Amino acid sequence: MKGLILCAGMGSRLRPLTYSRPKHLLPLINKPVLFYGIESMIEAGITEIGIVVSPSFKKVFAEALQRVIPSHIRIELIEQNEPKGLAHAVSVARSFTQSEEFILYLGDNIIDGPLKPLIDQFYSDNLDGLVSVSPVEHPERFGVVEMSGNKISKVVEKPKNPPSNLAINGVYLFREAIYDAIAKIVPSARGEYEITDAIQQLIDDQYQLGIFHSPYWWKDTGLPQDLIICNQYYLSKIKGINNKGMIDSNSSVSISAIIGENTKIVNSVIRGPVIIGPNTTIENCYIGPFTSIAENVTMNSCELENSIVMENTVLNEIPHRIDESLIGGDVKMMGSSQIPNRIHMWMGDHTLINFPK
């Protein structure tokens, strides 16, 4: 079985961060979202993985993957030239999957659980397709399945009146028949070829579709608050203190923390769970729970909690505590005591800043 991960989405709801990097490479506890899916596939024994990407970000993906993928794993980047939907993204990967079965994974989803049980069920039940589902409170926001016994009888994309509370959570298994189904469907009202329509076509053509009732924690990382929630979840799994840096005698680190190599903690309070990457300097700061700080960051006289700070960023003498924030790479936030007292900003499109009164 091969693996296929879809990563061609534009990430418009995560702008301005996604102007410079794809949303699938935004970090959770200092590791790109995409890598969680790749690691799950490798753990399930999959050694050939295709990743569908936008041509504008192909080089960025190649550079990120080159640094971390084991040598025995074959990764192929597949271009989707136009954003025409998930089913279209699958269709452009046919030259990669060929006639083999494949597991399909949405690259901006986080699912904390093994894929091997899905693969085992797919083969043991001799299915033509398998869809992983999770019960949700608001199924109208998702693709939803309607069941007839243990088989799927209907799939609906974001229905006004959901037939069940079982939402498709971004993991699917297919045989080659999915490509014939995609060839039969037409664009939806929003102009995209929907994977849910392709699944419905398989059902209409009398193929056997089953579901995997996922017990795993699951989150779509399409919004800034979703990234922060996922970051909280993975930080909460950190146990104890793993320090590879330097903590001076005037600093304290409590609860749980990971501190990278060559990182310096000076006259600061660190209350975990926290992760701080290598080659970072934290001085005269308070770093509160559920915070991820990447590599090569410099922070001085700041208070920060429940936030994500990306690489090569400088935060200096910020007069207010920063909370529930995403701060990108190569950012500079500087406090100033100059008169007149003023705020000086360079702000791009789609930026959000909340000032305390």
Side-chain angles (χ1 to χ4, degrees):
M1 177 170 286
K2 292 183 177 179
L4 184 63
I5 305 179
L6 305 187
C7 294
M10 300 305 293
S12 57
R13 295 178 298 171
L14 283 161
R15 291 172 178 167
L17 294 169
T18 49
Y19 283 130
S20 56
R21 73 179 89 195
K23 61 180 178 178
H24 318 86
L25 295 182
L26 292 172
L28 295 176
I29 61 167
N30 294 349
K31 181 169 68 175
V33 169
L34 169 62
F35 290 9
Y36 290 84
I38 291 175
E39 289 173 357
S40 293
M41 287 190 174
I42 293 173
E43 289 171 3
I46 295 171
T47 58
E48 294 183 74
I49 301 172
I51 303 177
V52 179
V53 301
S54 166
S56 60
F57 280 132
K58 186 175 183 181
K59 183 179 179 181
V60 177
F61 277 105
E63 291 174 349
L65 293 165
Q66 183 178 4
R67 296 193 294 267
V68 297
I69 299 302
S71 58
H72 71 286
I73 302 299
R74 183 172 81 86
I75 298 287
E76 181 174 326
L77 297 180
I78 305 156
E79 293 186 13
Q80 184 186 18
N81 292 318
E82 298 179 81
K84 292 184 177 180
L86 298 183
H88 178 261
V90 173
S91 69
V92 302
R94 187 169 192 175
S95 61
F96 168 75
T97 60
Q98 297 183 358
S99 60
E100 295 186 46
E101 301 91 354
F102 63 95
I103 185 165
L104 176 66
Y105 198 105
L106 303 189
D108 56 355
N109 274 20
I110 291 292
I111 299 176
D112 187 25
L115 298 177
K116 186 67 163 54
L118 286 79
I119 297 171
D120 291 344
Q121 181 180 335
F122 178 76
Y123 284 124
S124 64
D125 292 351
N126 194 28
L127 296 170
D128 299 298
L130 179 70
V131 178
S132 178
V133 298
S134 299
V136 296
E137 292 184 3
H138 298 284
E140 68 276 4
R141 300 176 184 174
F142 305 91
V144 176
V145 301
E146 183 176 338
M147 300 302 298
S148 176
N150 293 324
K151 307 294 183 182
I152 302 175
S153 60
K154 191 175 182 180
V155 179
V156 188
E157 181 67 24
K158 297 180 181 177
K160 291 183 179 179
N161 298 301
S164 76
N165 70 337
L166 296 177
I168 300 173
N169 59 30
V171 182
Y172 319 74
L173 288 88
F174 293 116
R175 298 186 191 273
E176 191 179 16
I178 188 63
Y179 293 112
D180 293 333
I182 293 172
K184 294 179 181 180
I185 65 175
V186 298
S188 65
R190 60 178 183 170
E192 296 187 356
Y193 293 90
E194 309 286 358
I195 194 68
T196 45
D197 289 344
I199 294 170
Q200 185 63 51
Q201 187 64 53
L202 285 175
I203 296 168
D204 295 344
D205 290 341
Q206 303 300 308
Y207 287 98
Q208 295 300 306
L209 276 291
I211 67 167
F212 176 78
H213 289 275
S214 176
Y216 308 143
W217 190 90
W218 161 62
K219 194 71 176 174
D220 178 345
T221 61
L223 295 170
Q225 56 264 39
D226 297 327
L227 274 173
I228 290 173
I229 290 170
C230 285
N231 203 59
Q232 292 171 345
Y233 173 79
Y234 280 103
L235 282 170
S236 68
K237 301 177 78 169
I238 295 175
K239 305 299 180 184
I241 296 173
N242 181 355
N243 174 34
K244 296 182 179 179
M246 187 281 292
I247 304 171
D248 80 344
S249 59
N250 294 321
S251 299
S252 64
V253 179
S254 60
I255 311 299
S256 53
I258 297 174
I259 298 173
E261 293 182 357
N262 301 316
T263 283
K264 298 178 182 178
I265 310 295
V266 180
N267 194 36
S268 296
V269 174
I270 313 294
R271 290 182 181 167
V274 163
I275 184 169
I276 302 174
N279 304 306
T280 285
T281 299
I282 309 292
E283 188 169 0
N284 304 318
C285 291
Y286 165 76
I287 307 299
F290 301 109
T291 298
S292 292
I293 300 172
E295 60 185 7
N296 300 314
V297 170
T298 300
M299 293 181 58
N300 181 48
S301 300
C302 301
E303 296 188 7
L304 175 75
E305 63 185 14
N306 197 28
S307 297
I308 298 173
V309 180
M310 300 178 204
E311 70 284 347
N312 306 317
T313 282
V314 177
L315 304 180
N316 186 60
E317 296 185 353
I318 308 301
H320 305 287
R321 180 174 294 186
I322 300 170
D323 187 17
E324 291 190 24
S325 298
L326 298 178
I327 302 173
D330 296 287
V331 169
K332 287 184 172 58
M333 298 176 62
M334 316 296 287
S336 175
S337 57
Q338 292 181 349
I339 298 175
N341 189 9
R342 62 176 186 154
I343 296 171
H344 176 62
M345 295 180 290
W346 296 344
M347 293 171 57
D349 296 344
H350 305 284
T351 297
L352 170 66
I353 298 179
N354 289 320
F355 294 103
K357 296 181 180 179

